[in-house]
Amino acid sequence: MILPFIATLLALDDISQQVAPSPLIVLLASSVLIVSAVVWILHLFFVKQTAPSTGRSIMKEWRWYILPFLLMAVISAMIFQWPMLLRFRFSREAFEQKVAEMAKKAPITEGPQRIGWYWVDAVFARTNGYVGFETGASIIDPVGFSWDPTRPQTHPYNKHIVGNWYASEW
């Protein structure tokens, strides 16, 4: 039961960092969870019905019911990207403090640092008020968050989060 839980946490962490989740991590987590779900179904319908009552504890039986929830968490995270939105919500104040700090220094680029719940590889500010926070990379491009007071909310390379905040791919 620990392997599916770890795979789920790994997938949710990956989805929370990037605009485009790493296909390898999501595939790994999905595979582990699907195999676990098949084992769960086999246990539920075959082992449970054919095995005589052995007086097993409720805790041992309960562990089988966590698998469908783990699978639903990964699938819903891939569709709605709720881990990224939740993690950003908890980090937003720290990001906004950094935006205010960077606006005074623009144009400038800073190196790796922790901002809120994110490890940021690079922070860069431009004179027009744009501040970018690179948190990772998709298959091709760097990704992260950006504060852009000038961009319309329908820009094709960004997913609008809230206000002037976007999940960006550069």
Side-chain angles (χ1 to χ4, degrees):
M1 282 306 128
I2 292 189
L3 184 60
F5 186 73
I6 291 171
T8 300
L9 290 178
L10 186 62
L12 294 177
D13 178 60
D14 184 62
I15 292 167
S16 75
Q17 292 182 36
Q18 302 177 356
V19 176
S22 168
L24 181 62
I25 297 221
V26 173
L27 182 66
L28 169 71
S30 298
S31 299
V32 167
L33 289 170
I34 288 170
V35 167
S36 299
V38 168
V39 170
W40 177 75
I41 290 169
L42 291 173
H43 172 77
L44 186 66
F45 290 109
F46 295 110
V47 175
K48 210 171 176 190
Q49 301 208 358
T50 59
S53 176
T54 58
R56 292 171 61 173
S57 74
I58 291 177
M59 286 304 290
K60 287 186 179 180
E61 290 298 325
W62 176 250
R63 68 182 177 175
W64 291 98
Y65 296 106
I66 194 75
L67 289 171
F69 293 109
L70 296 177
L71 189 58
M72 286 188 303
V74 170
I75 291 170
S76 69
M78 289 173 14
I79 295 169
F80 300 110
Q81 291 186 334
W82 58 265
M84 179 189 68
L85 298 173
L86 185 64
R87 191 171 176 183
F88 180 79
R89 179 169 293 175
F90 288 129
S91 303
R92 184 175 176 189
E93 185 177 332
F95 275 112
E96 288 181 351
Q97 288 174 357
K98 192 65 176 178
V99 166
E101 176 187 323
M102 295 295 284
K104 296 174 187 172
K105 302 178 188 178
I108 190 170
T109 300
E110 291 184 356
Q113 56 194 287
R114 176 155 300 281
I115 300 174
W117 288 18
Y118 282 93
W119 178 256
V120 178
D121 296 327
V123 182
F124 52 92
R126 299 185 185 137
T127 55
N128 65 354
Y130 182 93
V131 179
F133 300 88
E134 184 181 325
T135 59
S138 65
I139 295 174
I140 299 172
D141 299 319
V143 295
F145 299 102
S146 62
W147 165 263
D148 191 352
T150 62
R151 179 176 296 142
Q153 295 182 359
T154 57
H155 194 275
Y157 297 108
N158 297 295
K159 177 183 179 195
H160 181 253
I161 298 175
V162 63
N164 292 328
W165 286 103
Y166 298 87
S168 301
E169 183 172 349
W170 293 282

